[in-house]
Amino acid sequence: MAYSLYLPQRGKRDFRGKAILAADIGGTKTSLGLFEVQGDVLSLVREATFSSKAYATFEEVVAKFLENNPDVPYTLSIGVAGPVLDNQVKLTNLSWELEGHRLERTLGFDRVVLLNDLEATAYGLAGLGPEDIATVFDPGRIIPGNMAILAPGTGLGEAGLFWDGEAYRPFATEGGHSDFAPRTALDIELQGYLKEITDIVSWEHVVSGPGISRIYRFLRDVRGHKEPAWLTENFKNSSDPAAVISHAAMRELDATCIKTMELFVGYMAREAASQVLKHKATGGLLLGGGIPPRIYPLLRKELFREQFIQNSSMAELLEETAINVILNSKAALIGAAYFGAFGQ
């Protein structure tokens, strides 16, 4: 499966003897990768991952990564979880603020470019192979057109890819922060529970890692579902309750965890369908981020597609939409590198 990405400088910019440093910044972790440019292809030379909250600034992370590297790379390209405006951003789930020109001065790079992390994930398709993509649903044919990406992880990222007739042009959105739309009585009850935590309930509040935990607590604390002792102990021994819940659900160890993930998968499908309709994404839907690869068996069950195609007037369009999962956890890092090298 090959994707043609709009990278106008591919084959034009001379990178001989130069390197690209790419970053993928999330609320939980920050990954850095040093890439060599070999013609119009990038090769990852070295990478490292850091706890985002362990550092006061992004500059400290870069300095740590480059402390044994005598030559500062030519370009720093950063994929970041937040709205990038005029090459600067205030992160959504982290206290860092980044500004391209300031980073050029303080870190010594010739160029610093910033882009949204989901936009970076889309550009990452330029460096992925067939082994990096897993099928949820194959309609048998693809109608050329736009694509959509939905990526639940620490937050909920969303992006689109505009098809210009020859290549895909990724663009960022902040759709994950749009209002959650309850459909059933249970959804309304969940929304009421969440409104005690936050005034405005967004899709990110339910379709994310923290969202899985919120749904579980709602079922336990409001709906009265029982929590077995072994599960309570697992929560105490883990820093990632969402992983505990999804693990128990996929192995059918606990009914509440199973119900939690059924609701989560259904909500993810519904928001994905909304995104596909808004972008008229006949080219397909891609599921990225940290969660979909981990729960791939759940996405292959009928529930996801059943919820995805439920629509009063556009079910036929949704039924013909290809759905795939991006398995490569480095997609955003790779995409940031390709954008930094060839995107501008």
Side-chain angles (χ1 to χ4, degrees), residues 254-305:
D254 178 72
T256 308
C257 292
I258 292 171
K259 180 64 176 177
T260 297
M261 294 309 296
E262 286 176 351
L263 289 170
F264 174 81
V265 167
Y267 295 147
M268 182 166 65
R270 281 163 45 186
E271 174 59 0
S274 293
Q275 194 183 6
V276 166
L277 293 174
K278 288 173 182 177
H279 294 330
K280 195 185 175 185
T282 59
L285 167 70
L286 290 164
L287 301 173
I291 295 176
R294 297 178 187 173
I295 65 167
Y296 179 64
L298 299 181
L299 301 178
R300 290 279 293 173
K301 293 184 177 182
E302 285 299 316
L303 174 63
F304 182 86
R305 190 160 182 271

Side-chain angles (χ1 to χ4, degrees), residues 3 6 58 61 170 183 213 248 252 266:
Y3 298 94
Y6 179 70
F58 174 65
V61 179
R183 180 182 291 175
S213 299
E252 299 184 347

